[in-house]
Amino acid sequence: ETGVTQSPTHLIKTRGQQVTLRCSSQSGHNTVSWYQQALGQGPQFIFQYYREEENGRGNFPPRFSGLQFPNYSSELNVNALELDDSALYLCASSLVGHQNTEAFFGQGTRLTVV
Amino acid sequence: DQQVKQNSPSLSVQEGRISILNCDYTNSMFDYFLWYKKYPAEGPTFLISISSIKDKNEDGRFTVFLNKSAKHLSLHIVPSQPGDSAVYFCAAMNYGGSQGNLIFGKGTKLSVKP
């Protein structure tokens, strides 16, 4: 059973650029959620994807967008990067409809915007 | 407006003693609560959960208590071990809502001293 993997682990971007972060879900899971964790804060929900469609969104602007693929892997895209987008981005997978609803997290991607 | 609050940023405990981490929530729609542990440079790891229909759930050294009337939950670790040193996040969700949409507290950093 493979876990949740994210790539890259670190990257540095310039303000105004665009970035794509990737996530491979845990085997057997059909739902992917993305979270942003700023320094000293808990993770904040960005959005969730189920069956390749967005299935819930937190308080993030439209320049945060995502995709889920048929193999349940996912991408998080952020356009027009701002300095405040610097954070740890976490991907979590879970199985919708299963009694145990805990989400399993990847190790995260540390994004620095300069 | 924080819906999940962990008011103690840090806690230091002697090895072998009990660690008690506290969490308060404001949203009465939350019906499922989870604790995650996070080491540096890793994603959060699921620890233990509790449904709102229960007031206690135990798993080995870890026990979570839920007081719905007070909107308070706590995580007890007995006995505490140096390997338990990590940041602990309390999270809540509305099971009937979007699964994977976890609302996290800011975390409590636990240090267990030998």
Side-chain angles (χ1 to χ4, degrees):
Chain A
E1 182 177 283
T2 59
V4 179
T5 57
Q6 294 185 240
S7 62
T9 54
H10 298 81
L11 78 164
I12 301 174
K13 288 286 189 177
T14 303
R15 189 172 51 183
Q17 284 188 314
Q18 179 265 345
V19 69
T20 297
L21 310 182
R22 295 180 173 82
C23 172
S24 293
S25 301
Q26 179 155 320
S27 176
H29 285 182
N30 58 11
T31 302
V32 163
S33 303
W34 286 90
Y35 291 81
Q36 180 196 66
Q37 186 180 10
L39 201 60
Q41 303 293 316
Q44 277 202 303
F45 176 69
I46 303 175
F47 45 56
Q48 179 188 78
Y49 277 80
Y50 171 64
R51 291 184 176 175
E52 302 175 47
E53 291 193 1
E54 190 177 289
N55 183 38
R57 188 178 183 94
N59 188 25
F60 281 82
R63 58 189 185 84
F64 286 78
S65 63
L67 285 172
Q68 186 185 30
F69 301 100
N71 65 355
Y72 303 123
S73 64
S74 176
E75 288 182 356
L76 164 65
N77 299 291
V78 187
N79 293 322
L81 284 166
E82 301 177 359
L83 296 179
D84 284 349
D85 296 333
S86 296
L88 179 69
Y89 288 85
L90 295 162
C91 166
S93 72
S94 57
L95 183 59
V96 169
H98 196 271
Q99 183 64 36
N100 295 322
T101 60
E102 58 267 20
F104 292 86
F105 284 82
Q107 83 281 10
T109 294
R110 172 72 63 186
L111 171 65
T112 303
V113 182
V114 297
Chain B
D1 179 30
Q2 269 201 291
Q3 298 185 68
V4 176
K5 299 178 184 178
Q6 294 177 257
N7 292 319
S8 298
S10 63
L11 175 67
S12 184
V13 169
Q14 205 67 33
E15 180 180 6
R17 299 289 187 105
I18 184 172
S19 295
I20 300 176
L21 296 97
N22 293 303
C23 178
D24 297 293
Y25 63 96
T26 58
N27 189 339
S28 57
M29 295 297 291
F30 289 147
D31 53 14
Y32 199 73
F33 304 89
L34 308 91
W35 284 93
Y36 283 83
K37 178 168 76 172
K38 187 178 185 302
Y39 294 116
E42 293 183 13
T45 303
F46 170 74
L47 199 55
I48 192 169
S49 62
I50 187 167
S51 164
S52 61
I53 62 173
K54 296 184 176 181
D55 54 19
K56 176 182 175 181
N57 188 27
E58 192 171 352
D59 183 3
R61 296 186 297 115
F62 303 92
T63 303
V64 56
F65 295 93
L66 175 62
N67 182 335
K68 281 179 59 180
S69 60
K71 293 192 177 68
H72 177 84
L73 64 155
S74 60
L75 173 68
H76 292 210
I77 306 174
V78 184
S80 301
Q81 300 173 355
D84 296 330
S85 297
V87 178
Y88 288 78
F89 290 99
C90 169
M93 66 182 294
N94 176 5
Y95 187 91
S98 176
Q99 289 202 23
N101 179 4
L102 297 168
I103 309 298
F104 284 86
K106 289 187 177 183
T108 296
K109 184 176 182 180
L110 174 66
S111 299
V112 180
K113 301 191 182 304

